[in-house]
Amino acid sequence: MERLSTDYYVYPGATDRALRRYRAFAQSPGRRPLYPQDAECSCRGCSFDDVRHARDVLDEVLRQLPARAREELRRRVARLDAAYLQRTLPDPFADRRQWRSDLWWRRRLADGREGP
Ligand SMILES: [Zn+2]
């Protein structure tokens, strides 16, 4: 699927990288709130500096996967989604402030710097 994808951000290894990135963020040690940060560069490598990009990639991959593989990945992502929701805070001004605020994982408070 990754090899066949025409999406610039979906390439061989991208799903694994996105999953690791998303997991590392959502399951960071501690209990304090976490704030996603913007990536300084929009290339396919640096974009992962923004954890929300990792979730974008997973979203795209989930759309393109065949049913059985999709279901397996969907379960893993759902667990991380729950953790992500717990560790981030809602942004009441997401419509004004966040890019692609139609995506729920982009309706969370962000900061210049990642971490608590
Ligand atoms: Zn770059």
Side-chain angles (χ1 to χ4, degrees):
M1 188 284 289
E2 290 176 330
R3 233 173 320 117
L4 296 174
S5 175
T6 55
D7 187 314
Y8 168 71
Y9 292 105
V10 178
Y11 53 89
T15 308
D16 183 58
R17 185 159 179 195
L19 205 53
R20 287 170 195 274
R21 175 71 175 102
Y22 193 39
R23 183 186 300 125
F25 181 88
Q27 299 183 344
S28 301
R31 332 183 83 190
R32 306 177 71 163
L34 298 170
Y35 302 94
Q37 66 175 7
D38 293 325
E40 305 223 325
C41 163
S42 63
C43 83
R44 18 161 92 158
C46 300
S47 289
F48 280 108
D49 291 346
D50 184 344
V51 67
R52 296 164 297 186
H53 171 73
R55 189 59 181 77
D56 291 343
V57 168
L58 293 170
D59 190 56
E60 187 54 36
V61 167
L62 285 169
R63 280 173 210 283
Q64 294 184 31
L65 276 178
R68 183 180 291 207
R70 177 170 59 230
E71 188 47 36
E72 192 186 320
L73 181 62
R74 197 193 56 74
R75 275 198 303 269
R76 296 171 70 173
V77 171
R79 273 198 299 273
L80 297 177
D81 283 345
Y84 179 84
L85 273 174
Q86 239 168 30
R87 291 298 297 277
T88 56
L89 301 168
D91 181 356
F93 302 111
D95 289 330
R96 252 181 283 159
R97 263 198 305 234
Q98 310 288 353
W99 184 73
R100 290 295 318 269
S101 62
D102 53 313
L103 302 167
W104 68 262
W105 57 91
R106 292 185 171 277
R107 303 184 65 84
R108 315 299 289 172
L109 277 181
D111 200 358
R113 191 176 53 85
E114 191 168 295

